[in-house]
Amino acid sequence: MDRQALHDYTLTIIKEAGERIRKSFFETMYIETKSDANDLVTNIDKETEAFIVKKIHAYDESFRILGEEGMAEEEISSLEGVVWMVDPIDGTMNFVRQRRNFAISIAIYVDGVGQAGYIYDVVADELYFALKGQGAYMNGQRLSPLEALPLNEAIVGINAVWATPNPRVEHEGIIKLIHTLRGTRSLGSATLEIVAVATGRMDAYLSFRLSPWDIAAGIIIAQEVGAVSSTLDLNAVNLLNQDTFIVANPSIHKELVGDYITLK
Amino acid sequence: MDRQALHDYTLTIIKEAGERIRKSFFETMYIETKSDANDLVTNIDKETEAFIVKKIHAYDESFRILGEEGMAEEEISSLEGVVWMVDPIDGTMNFVRQRRNFAISIAIYVDGVGQAGYIYDVVADELYFALKGQGAYMNGQRLSPLEALPLNEAIVGINAVWATPNPRVEHEGIIKLIHTLRGTRSLGSATLEIVAVATGRMDAYLSFRLSPWDIAAGIIIAQEVGAVSSTLDLNAVNLLNQDTFIVANPSIHKELVGDYITLK
C-alpha cells in the first residue's frame, strides 16, 4: 500500500464529495427518518456515501468499508486488515436545517490502528487531516499541540440532554460538571466537535451514544495534537459498536471522567 | 437624519471594525475579567468599541451611545431621541479561545423604536442587517420569512446551565422542553444565535440574563423575517437593563414560553 498515493487519492475523494454536496443545495432533498424522528437521513447522505464507496473500491476492491448508510453492503465484525470508516454527512440535522455545520468523515484503519483521518467541514471549506505520527493539519496548516489548563477554565462540548434525567448517565454528575466548567457548547456534529478539541477551540467533547464512523477519523486527528480519546468508562474507544465517547485535552481527561461521570 | 447615508456609513464602520479585529489576531491580547471569572474583556473589545464610538460621534456628536464596555462614557436611562447600542465583540470567550464565533453588533433606535440593526460575524465574513420595514439581509441576500413548524420539530439555542438548578428559572420546565424539542444547540454568542433564528437555522433562542447591547440589533433583524422577541414573562424586551430574553419563530413562541418557562 503506497501510503502517500492513498493519502493524495483520499484528499481528492473527500473534496469531490464536498463539491457534490454543495451542488445538492440547488436540488430537491428527500428526507427520511431512521431509528427515531430525530435520526434523519437524506438522499444526499446515501448518494455521497455511495460515491465515496465507489471511489475507494476503484482504488482497491479488497478494502473493507464501514459506512453509516450501509452503502458498502458489508458486515464489519472485526478490524483485521484495512478497514475504512465513512460518514458521508455527520450532522444531518444541521445539513437539512442549516445548510452548514456538518462534515464528511473518512478514516483508514489497518489491523485496528488508525493510520489516516479526514474531516471536511464542507460549507466552511475547512479540511482537517492527520496521518499517524505525522501531525494534524487544517487546510495545510499544522495544528499546535494542546496546552494544559485547569478544568474550571475548560469549554466542553456536551448536549444539554445529558444534564436531564436519561438512561445512560447519572445527570447529577453532569450538572456538577456544568457548574465547574467555564462554559459548554453544542454544535450538533460530533466530528466538528472533535476537531474543535483538536484545534483547542474546546477542551473536551463527550457523548453517550456515538457510532464508529462518528469518531474514527476525529480520534486520529485529535491524537496528533495530544488529545486523549476513550469511552466514558475509560476503556479504549469502541470502533465496532455504538458506545460512550470522550475526547479531551490530556490535562483534564481523567479528572472530568473520574469525578463527574457515573454511567448507568 | 438622512437614513440611507447613515446606513451606508454604519456599514463602513462595522466592516472596518471587523478588519481591525482580524488584524488584532496577530497582536498580543490582554485579557481581564469583569463581574466573574467567566465574564471576560480584552483590550480588543475596548479598542473596537472606542473606534466605533469615535466614528459615530464623527457623524453626529449628539448621538447617544450605550456600549458594553462603556467607552462612550454616558449613562443611558431613557431611550428618547437617537440611541445607538454597541457590542464590539459579542462572544468574547469565543473570541479569546476560538478566534471565531463572535460578532460585532450595532443598533440604532429612535425614541425606543429599532430603526436599523447590524451584526457582523467577523471571521465568517457574514454581515447581517435590517432597516425597519425593509427586510433583513445577509451579505446582500434577502432573508426569507420564517415558516411555521411544531415545537417537537424545533431546534432551540439554549445554554445547558438552564437545565440545571439555577436562581432564575425552574429547571424542571427546561428539562421538559429539552425532551420535547428536536434538538438544542449552544454557540456562545447571543447575537449569532439570534441571527441563527432569523435565518431559520434555529427556531428559537432563549437566555435568562442578557444586556441591551446583546439583543438590540438582533431583534430588529429577526423582526423583519417575522420572528417574535420578548422577555420570558412575555413583556416587551428590556433595552435599558439586563433581563430575560427569547426570540422565536412565531409558531412556537407562546407555547414554548407558556408551557415550559417558570421564572423564579
Side-chain angles (χ1 to χ4, degrees), chain A residues 37-38 93-94 97-98 100 126 153 155 159-160 164-165 175 178-179 182 184-188 200-201 203, chain B residues 37-38 93-94 97-98 100 126 153 155 160 164-165 175 178-179 182 184-188 200-201 203:
Chain A
N38 296 344
M93 183 77 74
N94 287 347
R97 287 295 314 278
Q98 309 191 335
R100 58 171 67 189
E126 291 181 341
E153 290 182 11
I155 298 177
N159 191 303
T164 75
I175 289 171
I178 289 170
H179 289 170
R182 177 143 290 172
T184 62
R185 300 285 183 272
S186 182
L187 308 180
R201 285 176 225 138
D203 306 300
Chain B
N38 296 343
M93 184 77 74
N94 288 346
R97 288 295 316 278
Q98 309 191 336
R100 57 171 69 189
E126 291 182 340
E153 291 182 10
I155 297 176
T164 74
I175 289 171
I178 288 170
H179 289 170
R182 177 144 292 174
T184 62
R185 300 285 184 273
S186 183
L187 308 180
R201 285 177 226 139
D203 307 299

Side-chain angles (χ1 to χ4, degrees), chain B residues 130-195:
Chain B
L131 303 179
K132 182 178 162 55
Q134 296 179 47
Y137 293 80
M138 192 273 267
N139 287 353
Q141 189 172 3
R142 186 158 182 165
L143 303 182
S144 305
L146 300 181
E147 291 173 26
L149 84 171
L151 193 60
N152 65 6
E153 291 182 10
I155 297 176
V156 172
I158 183 168
N159 190 303
V161 77
W162 307 115
T164 74
N166 72 80
R168 300 184 194 240
V169 64
E170 300 290 353
H171 71 289
E172 292 85 355
I174 301 294
I175 289 171
K176 206 174 80 174
L177 175 64
I178 288 170
H179 289 170
T180 301
L181 299 168
R182 177 144 292 174
T184 62
R185 300 285 184 273
S186 183
L187 308 180
S189 159
T191 55
L192 293 181
E193 299 192 71
I194 298 170
V195 294

Side-chain angles (χ1 to χ4, degrees), chain A residues 233-263:
Chain A
D233 43 13
L234 292 178
N235 289 315
V237 293
N238 190 337
L239 288 168
L240 286 172
N241 298 104
Q242 198 174 75
D243 208 330
T244 63
F245 176 73
I246 181 170
V247 58
N249 186 305
S251 62
I252 62 170
H253 175 251
K254 284 218 168 57
E255 180 185 359
L256 194 164
V257 178
D259 292 0
Y260 300 92
I261 306 294
T262 308
L263 296 178

Side-chain angles (χ1 to χ4, degrees), chain A residues 103-166:
Chain A
I104 305 171
S105 180
I106 299 178
I108 308 173
Y109 281 73
V110 177
D111 292 329
V113 179
Q115 301 296 332
Y118 305 82
I119 291 176
Y120 187 27
D121 181 339
V122 171
V123 174
D125 194 23
E126 291 181 341
L127 178 53
Y128 301 83
F129 74 79
L131 302 180
K132 182 177 163 53
Q134 296 180 46
Y137 292 81
M138 191 272 267
N139 286 354
Q141 190 171 2
R142 186 157 181 165
L143 303 182
S144 304
L146 300 181
E147 291 174 25
L149 84 172
L151 193 61
N152 65 5
E153 290 182 11
I155 298 177
V156 172
I158 184 168
N159 191 303
V161 77
W162 306 115
T164 75
N166 72 78

